[in-house]
């Protein structure tokens, strides 16, 4: 199932086209379902809990011999590993710093993979969202950062992040693109027609 339906994707593409007609900036939007599968996180939690809990219970209760203790640890690990793989539970087990670090890494890879560092005048801009992490980032090339300080985008990112948290990602994209476009038009007005990069929303399933 698509993260945004076709109508919402078309609205994003149209909004990008409208902004790019008024500015020299090249906007690319990327929406990822999740920045990482975090396979090791549920296994790590299951290992720690399966090792500690049966041992702690047995230490105070002395109700198991060594064979029963080992079996309970193995069974506990298997059960917890399966339970912790449930998306809603797994998300809560991942530290926020880890989630944001992985999402930030993916954003930077996408900046390079979408050739935003090769635009004429170095005016590439990436608007990146990873839904599972509720993470939003705006990355710009030197042609934009020379005119607009990076701190300018912080408020726009905060507003977009709030939209993602409410499952209003499509509306967040539209508002973000328009807000970015207003400042880009003031600082980098269009000097001619160009369209070096795709305007459609890039979705990473």
């Amino acid at each position: 199932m698509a993260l945004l339906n076709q109508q919402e994707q078309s609205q994003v593409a149209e909004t990008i086209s409208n902004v790019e007609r008024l500015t020299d900036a090249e906007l690319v939007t990327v929406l990822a379902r999740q920045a990482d599968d975090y396979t090791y996180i549920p296994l790590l939690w299951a290992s720690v809990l399966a090792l500690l809990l049966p041992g702690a219970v047995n230490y105070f209760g002395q109700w198991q011999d060594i064979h029963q203790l080992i079996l309970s640890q193995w069974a506990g690990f298997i059960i917890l590993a399966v339970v912790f793989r449930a998306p809603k539970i797994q998300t809560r087990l991942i530290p926020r710093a880890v989630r944001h670090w992985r999402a930030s890494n993916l954003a930077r890879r996408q900046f390079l993979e979408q050739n935003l560092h090769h635009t004429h005048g170095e005016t590439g801009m990436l608007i990146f969202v990873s839904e599972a992490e509720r993470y939003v980032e705006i990355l710009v090339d030197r042609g934009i950062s020379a005119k607009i300080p990076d701190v300018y985008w912080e408020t726009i990112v905060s507003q977009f992040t709030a939209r993602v948290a409410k499952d209003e990602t499509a509306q967040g994209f539209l508002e973000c693109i328009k807000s970015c476009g207003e400042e880009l038009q003031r600082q980098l007005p269009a000097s001619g027609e160009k369209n070096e990069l795709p305007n459609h929303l890039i979705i990473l399933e």
Side-chain angles (χ1 to χ4, degrees):
M1 183 176 67
L3 294 170
L4 268 67
N5 61 42
Q6 287 298 320
Q7 181 181 359
E8 291 169 333
Q9 293 181 43
S10 296
Q11 289 175 337
V12 170
E14 182 181 357
T15 305
I16 294 173
S17 297
N18 291 338
V19 167
E20 288 188 346
R21 280 196 290 268
L22 302 173
T23 176
D24 276 345
E26 284 285 336
L27 278 67
V28 170
T29 52
V30 174
L31 174 59
R33 183 180 297 278
Q34 191 169 348
D36 194 343
D37 59 13
Y38 304 102
T39 303
Y40 64 96
I41 296 289
L43 295 178
L44 179 61
W45 277 102
S47 299
V48 171
L49 293 178
L51 179 65
L52 294 180
L53 291 181
V57 171
N58 194 57
Y59 177 81
F60 293 103
Q62 299 293 327
W63 56 278
Q64 292 180 320
D65 60 31
I66 186 65
H67 299 293
Q68 292 173 322
L69 177 61
I70 292 174
L71 287 175
S72 66
Q73 288 177 326
W74 287 355
F77 171 76
I78 294 171
I79 292 170
L80 290 173
V82 172
V83 171
F84 289 167
R85 285 292 294 171
K88 290 185 178 180
I89 297 177
Q90 178 176 299
T91 300
R92 295 178 180 275
L93 295 175
I94 305 168
R96 182 180 179 184
V98 173
R99 288 186 280 117
H100 285 192
W101 173 64
R102 295 300 298 165
S104 179
N105 284 346
L106 180 56
R108 279 151 182 77
R109 290 202 305 272
Q110 284 299 306
F111 190 91
L112 298 176
E113 289 178 15
Q114 303 305 327
N115 291 315
L116 280 154
H117 58 308
H118 285 157
T119 61
H120 179 72
E122 299 179 320
T123 57
M125 166 182 275
L126 173 68
I127 300 173
F128 174 86
V129 178
S130 187
E131 279 205 328
E133 288 80 8
R134 295 182 176 179
Y135 182 85
V136 177
E137 187 167 5
I138 294 176
L139 296 174
V140 299
D141 207 353
R142 287 174 291 187
I144 296 177
S145 61
K147 298 278 188 178
I148 308 170
D150 290 340
V151 294
Y152 177 83
W153 312 114
E154 292 179 1
T155 300
I156 297 175
V157 167
S158 296
Q159 293 170 345
F160 196 172
T161 303
R163 285 290 193 183
V164 174
K166 296 177 183 177
D167 294 324
E168 298 173 352
T169 303
Q171 185 62 30
F173 263 117
L174 299 180
E175 292 173 353
C176 177
I177 295 166
K178 290 175 182 176
S179 296
C180 291
E182 290 172 359
E183 185 64 14
L184 290 169
Q185 183 183 351
R186 284 192 288 267
Q187 302 296 336
L188 289 164
S191 59
E193 290 187 13
K194 65 173 185 174
N195 190 21
E196 300 177 62
L197 300 173
N199 293 342
H200 65 267
L201 176 65
I202 297 167
I203 294 182
L204 307 178
E205 294 282 356

